[in-house]
Amino acid sequence: MWIITQADPARPAHEQNPVMEPGTLFGGTPAFAVTREHGYRLVERWQFNLVQVIKATR
């Protein structure tokens, strides 16, 4: 699943990890809660000027 949300300046430009933290901006959103409830885990993130793109897998 691909998630596009507001960029988080506290996170690096790119990160990849088998179990990644959502970050402060995305972690408190309903989109993250639903993603987690359905068994997805965040595995990769790319930061751009205004948005971040997050890859989540089950």
Side-chain angles (χ1 to χ4, degrees):
M1 171 189 304
W2 296 99
I3 303 159
I4 300 171
T5 187
Q6 179 182 354
D8 187 345
R11 307 304 302 183
H14 177 257
E15 52 185 321
Q16 186 173 8
N17 194 321
V19 181
M20 220 171 48
E21 293 295 319
T24 54
L25 290 180
F26 182 55
T29 65
F32 175 65
V34 170
T35 302
R36 185 179 54 197
E37 287 172 12
H38 287 276
Y40 286 90
R41 58 188 168 74
L42 310 179
V43 296
E44 196 163 6
R45 173 190 341 259
W46 297 266
Q47 297 274 0
F48 299 98
N49 290 339
L50 300 175
V51 300
Q52 62 180 324
V53 177
I54 302 170
K55 181 181 179 181
T57 62
R58 277 199 232 192

